[in-house]
Amino acid sequence: HGVLPDDLGSLAEELRGKLGALDAGAASLAALKAGVAEAEAAYVAAAGALTAARVEAAGRLDAAMGA
């Protein structure tokens, strides 16, 4: 690493800090992916409910127009 022997301690600390940040980033990424999966499931459920409501409303409108 091109570091003087007297500076090895500070280099080790710096590298430990970087490694810790990488490890925390991986954990954060996993949490974000889980959040995306939850949001996608909620979106799909809401879209299904909206579709069902639209179909029902269309049926009522069709019946009202025919009466």
Side-chain angles (χ1 to χ4, degrees):
H1 290 281
V3 177
L4 295 174
D6 290 342
D7 297 331
L8 285 175
S10 61
L11 175 64
E13 281 299 313
E14 179 185 342
L15 292 176
R16 278 190 208 100
K18 287 181 179 181
L19 179 60
L22 288 173
D23 288 342
S28 178
L29 181 59
L32 289 172
K33 284 182 180 181
V36 167
E38 274 186 44
E40 184 178 9
Y43 172 81
V44 168
L50 179 60
T51 298
R54 285 179 172 171
V55 168
E56 182 184 338
R60 287 195 317 265
L61 180 61
D62 188 45
M65 296 298 289

